[in-house]
Amino acid sequence: MQDDLISQIDKNRLPRHIAIIMDGNGRWAQEKGQDRLYGHFHGVESVRNIVEGAAELGIQYLTLYAFSTENWDRPAAEVDGLMTLLVETIRKEVPVLNKNNIRLHMIGDKGMLPDFARQEMEEALQLTAANTGLNLVMALSYSSRWELVNAVKNIGLDVQAGKIDPLQINQEILQQYLTTSQIPDPELMIRTSGEHRISNFLLYQLAYSELYFTNTRWPDFRKENLYEAILDFQSRERRFGKTGKQIEEESRMA
Ligand code: IPE
Ligand code: IPE
Ligand code: MG
């Protein structure tokens, strides 16, 4: 089944960047009569599997929404459990990332992380910095509104300092102030668990992304589900505001 799906994927038309809202851990656990943390724990297995799948396919960027700014408002026991799980996972996985030439990045408000988690993350970022394969971007304590407010604040400071002329501000300049300044926009955004919303994730960067929603809860999401999403992506016509006829002509010329 898995081989069958992967063979249908057009390797020349892979999305360069896939972003995933990993949702449904809590419900997955509760449906099994377990504590929500049990779901987060099993979600890590999906992360491993999907990172491996993306690397095997040759995807260049994979962004995983692991914890939002708003998630800090969850009960303290869940937040603590998630932070501990994060640190344990990083500690265990860094050698695997290095073995597979995967570079870790983080987008989000590092200052909000507890010291032990921030230190572990900083170390992992350094330890994988020389890797040149898949770029694995963890969105942690991330929200798009936080990112955009931050960008506006920093642009304001640079205008005040005379480093930029406000009349010269354009999309390229704004892009440089986002946490994703070095990362291309995602072509494909996947959300698991049946929710059909963006939940403050990459609002600016998703402007022209193809959105894919699946009912599968994150702990059940595996490589074959990723392949299905990519196949769905490849069946779509991306028009970027143009007409279908223009797109057809352009692809004939290319
Ligand atoms: C996603 O699963 C993981 C995080 C947000 C940390 P949830 O914890 O949101 O699970 P549900 O959506 O409540 O089932
Ligand atoms: C979004 O999921 C954040 C992550 C998956 C990390 P949530 O479960 O927090 O989003 P809402 O509350 O359902 O919108
Ligand atoms: Mg959720």
Side-chain angles (χ1 to χ4, degrees):
M1 180 62 187
Q2 194 170 304
D3 285 352
D4 206 43
L5 282 172
I6 203 171
S7 67
Q8 292 173 44
I9 294 177
D10 180 350
K11 302 292 177 325
N12 298 314
R13 286 173 53 240
L14 286 172
R16 187 145 72 115
H17 181 180
I18 300 177
I20 307 182
I21 302 179
M22 309 185 288
D23 196 22
N25 295 351
R27 279 164 289 162
W28 182 88
Q30 279 162 345
E31 283 153 11
K32 295 185 158 31
Q34 301 281 346
D35 186 75
R36 294 176 56 86
L37 275 171
Y38 179 79
H40 297 314
F41 183 76
H42 280 273
V44 175
E45 198 44 55
S46 302
V47 171
R48 253 186 232 119
N49 190 272
I50 295 310
V51 169
E52 193 182 278
E56 284 164 358
L57 278 172
I59 302 293
Q60 293 178 33
Y61 296 86
L62 176 68
T63 297
L64 300 177
Y65 200 8
F67 194 88
S68 72
T69 307
E70 289 75 21
N71 290 148
W72 290 115
D73 294 332
R74 290 194 179 185
E78 182 168 345
V79 172
D80 292 349
L82 276 164
M83 290 300 136
T84 305
L85 186 61
L86 170 76
V87 166
E88 283 171 2
T89 305
I90 295 177
R91 205 166 284 165
K92 225 187 290 165
E93 295 302 316
V94 164
V96 183
L97 297 179
N98 280 333
K99 191 170 137 258
N100 295 320
N101 198 21
I102 298 169
R103 179 172 180 184
L104 187 69
H105 305 261
M106 176 187 154
I107 56 171
D109 188 356
K110 269 201 203 110
M112 289 283 286
L113 295 176
D115 288 346
F116 72 102
R118 187 173 48 248
Q119 281 160 14
E120 197 70 33
M121 179 54 81
E122 298 275 16
E123 215 173 288
L125 294 174
Q126 270 179 19
L127 289 169
T128 63
N131 295 339
T132 55
L134 173 71
N135 288 286
L136 173 60
V137 185
M138 295 304 294
L140 251 186
S141 189
Y142 172 88
S143 76
S144 218
R145 289 184 175 181
W146 162 82
E147 171 179 50
L148 291 170
V149 167
N150 231 16
V152 171
K153 213 181 284 172
N154 288 325
I155 290 173
L157 287 170
D158 281 353
V159 166
Q160 199 177 39
K163 290 188 201 156
I164 45 172
D165 171 358
L167 294 176
Q168 301 298 316
I169 296 173
N170 55 21
Q171 292 185 19
E172 282 79 61
I173 292 184
L174 174 56
Q175 159 77 13
Q176 289 164 22
Y177 286 83
L178 299 176
T179 58
T180 51
S181 59
Q182 306 300 315
I183 302 170
D185 290 344
E187 287 92 346
L188 171 62
M189 195 287 286
I190 300 171
R191 183 172 189 149
T192 61
S193 91
E195 305 301 350
H196 296 178
R197 55 177 170 259
I198 305 291
S199 301
N200 220 344
F201 185 47
L202 302 175
L203 299 180
Y204 184 82
Q205 296 87 339
L206 293 178
Y208 269 104
S209 306
E210 296 300 324
L211 308 182
Y212 179 87
F213 298 100
T214 169
N215 289 333
T216 305
R217 310 277 199 226
W218 178 251
D220 286 330
F221 196 85
R222 287 292 179 276
K223 286 178 195 176
E224 47 270 33
N225 305 96
L226 177 70
Y227 303 154
E228 278 166 2
I230 294 173
L231 282 169
D232 190 273
F233 166 81
Q234 292 188 332
S235 75
R236 302 188 192 187
E237 182 177 62
R238 305 187 71 208
R239 288 192 286 276
F240 302 98
K242 294 184 183 173
T243 67
K245 190 158 170 270
Q246 284 177 297
I247 300 298
E248 273 166 42
E249 278 163 10
E250 279 173 13
S251 69
R252 222 177 299 130
M253 309 266 262

